[in-house]
Amino acid sequence: MTSSRHAGDSGGFRKEEFRLKVEDLTLLPAISPHVLEFMTSLDDPAANIAGISGRIEKDPGLSARILKVANSPLYASRGHVTRVIDALVRVGLMTAKAIIMTASFFDSIRDHPAVASLWKHSMAVSFGARKIGEATGMTRLDELYLAGLLHDIGKVVYPMFARESFDAYLEDDSTDPGPVRESRLFGMDHAELGTRLAEAWNFPPVIYHAIRYHHAPVDAPEPSRDVVNAVGLADRISSAYGMGHSEDPFVEGGIRPLIENLGVSSSIDGILASVLGYGDNIE
Amino acid sequence: MARMMKVELATTEDGEMIVQDVHDMLGRLLVRAPRRIDPELKRMLLARGIQEVFIPDQSSGDAEYERQIVEQERDAIRKRFSRLQDTPDNKRIVEIFIRAFEVFHAEKGKIPPV
């Protein structure tokens, strides 16, 4: 492999160094001790929800995030919760894990101008995917929320480790699709990058399939296809309505096949209205 | 095209809509319109030497202002779809998205019923 340096990186960015940093990230060294402790406890078969709740309560920021999601419009019909343990029961441990991982990553780039749009997009896609799941009678709605939340987690890594190249990427007016430009600049696109992380962090296959194939749902393995289609459609809806960070979501396949494969032709108006309403309230 | 006015970035309120793309002195795109101003965006633009931005001209009243915002956003949706292949299927999809957007804002009273 040849060394490749991007001209816009005064720090001397190299693709192979970036790849090594990503490999380090799969071991979770970059996150706070509380998050690490929480993540470890989730993989412990002997862990109980009271113990996990106690660990989260050590960190007011984490507690607030879990409570906020548990009291969000997604769970509005179930009343208000004020205790972390009740919030965990409501959202589920896997969703809590995704929320905390995602928030931890976003925190690390909070001073970057793109962070707000990346966050808004992730929230909108997680909401939209769940709404699509409701409209189609899917039963594992939490998986849809989680897959939507994590589908672009790979993009957050670029400003973490290659900020100047990421800035150049955002300013690039090339007509090439985003993943093509990402591969060119960073050596791997955000779908590949996010898949590596989600696999390493022990998320189930349906989650990393959604990350891997959300731009090309037709290539997704059959058991995960519905979830991937839902995330793919939610991704395109969110981007179309400006809850995105990219202007080129529509060069990578059409929208109609997703609508037809999911069987939401008759309910698409309601889904679009729900996402628009949710987008107005994302902080 | 809706009317717009140039204002000092430092004095704009959070939530105000930037309605014209913002470029730096080298012509690089910093913000693609429409985009709401938030504290982080304002700080980033000021740090890059941007002192003025275009927002909708509200002199014609709140209703007109809301209509202009919706109009800007509708144009932006069409622009985002502009790279879709020009097929009857895709045109239909664009119209479904635009109509849902118009119905949503009509129900909120921002534009006349559609």
Side-chain angles (χ1 to χ4, degrees):
Chain A
M1 185 182 207
T2 55
S3 172
S4 49
R5 187 186 293 246
H6 186 265
D9 270 298
S10 59
F13 168 74
R14 288 188 177 86
K15 286 178 186 172
E16 50 269 49
E17 288 174 12
F18 179 73
R19 192 172 283 271
L20 286 174
K21 286 178 176 174
V22 171
E23 292 308 320
D24 283 349
L25 204 54
T26 63
L27 305 174
L28 299 173
I31 59 177
S32 79
H34 285 143
V35 176
L36 190 55
E37 194 179 353
F38 169 74
M39 295 289 283
T40 307
S41 68
L42 273 177
D43 292 332
D44 176 0
N48 61 62
I49 200 160
I52 293 170
S53 169
R55 290 188 184 92
I56 293 178
E57 283 168 353
K58 288 180 190 171
D59 188 322
L62 292 185
S63 303
R65 284 189 175 112
I66 296 294
L67 285 164
K68 192 169 180 178
V69 173
N71 289 309
S72 72
L74 286 172
Y75 302 95
S77 60
R78 303 190 204 171
H80 191 81
V81 293
T82 55
R83 297 189 312 161
V84 170
I85 191 166
D86 295 331
L88 280 179
V89 169
R90 176 171 294 183
V91 304
L93 289 180
M94 192 61 79
T95 300
K97 175 178 171 177
I99 292 165
I100 289 176
M101 279 308 301
T102 309
S104 173
F105 269 53
F106 275 89
D107 271 355
S108 70
I109 58 159
R110 66 185 322 155
D111 62 334
H112 193 281
V115 70
S117 57
L118 277 166
W119 177 251
K120 185 170 184 174
H121 180 70
S122 297
M123 295 301 289
V125 174
S126 61
F127 177 86
R130 196 179 157 113
K131 279 288 161 192
I132 292 164
E134 287 173 4
T136 55
M138 290 188 207
T139 52
R140 301 170 77 172
L141 299 178
D142 287 345
E143 279 185 351
L144 287 161
Y145 177 84
L146 207 158
L149 188 67
L150 291 172
H151 80 287
D152 270 349
I153 192 72
K155 281 193 178 171
V156 185
V157 180
Y158 297 139
M160 284 171 79
F161 295 143
R163 194 178 181 113
E164 289 182 30
S165 288
F166 185 62
D167 289 346
Y169 165 82
L170 293 177
E171 290 165 6
D172 180 8
D173 278 341
S174 157
T175 55
D176 292 336
V180 172
R181 291 187 291 128
E182 289 166 1
S183 293
R184 195 163 57 221
L185 271 172
F186 305 107
M188 62 181 108
D189 67 30
H190 70 278
E192 179 189 350
L193 206 167
T195 304
R196 282 179 183 222
L197 298 181
E199 267 189 285
W201 299 335
N202 295 322
F203 282 103
V206 67
I207 302 304
Y208 54 79
H209 288 159
I211 297 171
R212 184 73 188 90
Y213 298 106
H214 67 275
H215 286 282
V218 70
D219 295 332
E222 182 54 44
S224 305
R225 183 87 46 88
D226 280 349
V227 170
V228 179
N229 277 333
V231 171
L233 180 56
D235 185 30
R236 286 151 179 83
I237 292 171
S238 304
S239 297
Y241 286 143
M243 302 163 213
H245 41 82
S246 164
E247 296 296 317
D248 62 357
F250 302 115
V251 295
E252 306 146 2
I255 294 175
R256 181 172 285 278
L258 293 175
I259 292 174
E260 288 177 352
N261 290 340
L262 285 161
V264 291
S265 299
S266 60
S267 52
I268 189 67
D269 289 347
I271 292 167
L272 296 177
S274 293
V275 174
L276 281 164
Y278 182 71
D280 264 4
N281 296 304
I282 300 174
E283 292 174 20
Chain B
M1 171 68 76
R3 281 186 296 177
M4 58 180 86
M5 60 183 182
K6 191 189 285 186
V7 295
E8 278 189 37
L9 176 61
T11 60
T12 52
E13 304 273 338
D14 288 346
E16 197 74 75
M17 187 72 80
I18 295 176
V19 292
Q20 189 173 84
D21 292 352
V22 180
H23 297 84
D24 67 11
M25 291 177 67
L26 298 174
R28 294 176 302 192
L29 179 67
L30 298 179
V31 172
R32 198 182 295 276
R35 170 90 182 265
R36 287 194 191 281
I37 294 174
D38 59 47
E40 196 58 40
L41 180 66
K42 188 189 284 189
R43 185 194 62 73
M44 183 276 286
L45 290 176
L46 289 170
R48 297 187 183 201
I50 304 300
Q51 296 182 354
E52 294 173 322
V53 292
F54 282 94
I55 64 172
D57 183 353
Q58 295 184 62
S59 58
S60 49
D62 285 349
E64 175 62 12
Y65 171 70
E66 293 286 3
R67 193 193 60 74
Q68 288 178 6
I69 293 285
V70 172
E71 193 178 299
Q72 291 281 349
E73 290 185 353
R74 184 170 44 206
D75 289 347
I77 294 169
R78 288 196 187 281
K79 193 173 166 188
R80 292 183 199 112
F81 274 109
S82 64
R83 290 170 66 183
L84 258 186
Q85 209 176 357
D86 192 17
T87 64
D89 251 11
N90 285 340
K91 282 181 182 169
R92 172 82 184 123
I93 289 292
V94 175
E95 290 316 310
I96 289 171
F97 272 64
I98 294 285
R99 181 170 171 78
F101 174 82
E102 290 174 339
V103 168
F104 175 76
H105 287 289
E107 285 175 355
K108 292 175 80 175
K110 291 185 175 180
I111 57 172
V114 291

